Amino acid sequence: MGHVPETLNAPATSAGHRISMRDNGPFVSAHCACGWRGPGRRARSRARDDAAAHTDSKE
């Protein structure tokens, strides 16, 4: 069975922005329902930071 994408709860102020984390080999990237995609990162924490910066920039 494949890895199920992790969905993060975005702040209520970022309506329409549902973030999920997707693994691709040793890399993970954040993807948003609006079409935005973060760069591939080796550290999941850095991908989460990318997602937080994306949702914060949309407020």
Side-chain angles (χ1 to χ4, degrees), residues 5-21 30-33 44 47-56 59:
E6 173 186 348
T7 302
L8 303 177
N9 293 324
T13 57
S14 59
H17 294 280
R18 284 188 33 217
I19 303 293
S20 64
M21 306 301 280
H31 293 250
C32 184
R44 187 171 290 274
R48 284 189 188 118
D49 291 345
D50 292 336
H54 167 68
T55 57
D56 289 347
E59 292 181 42

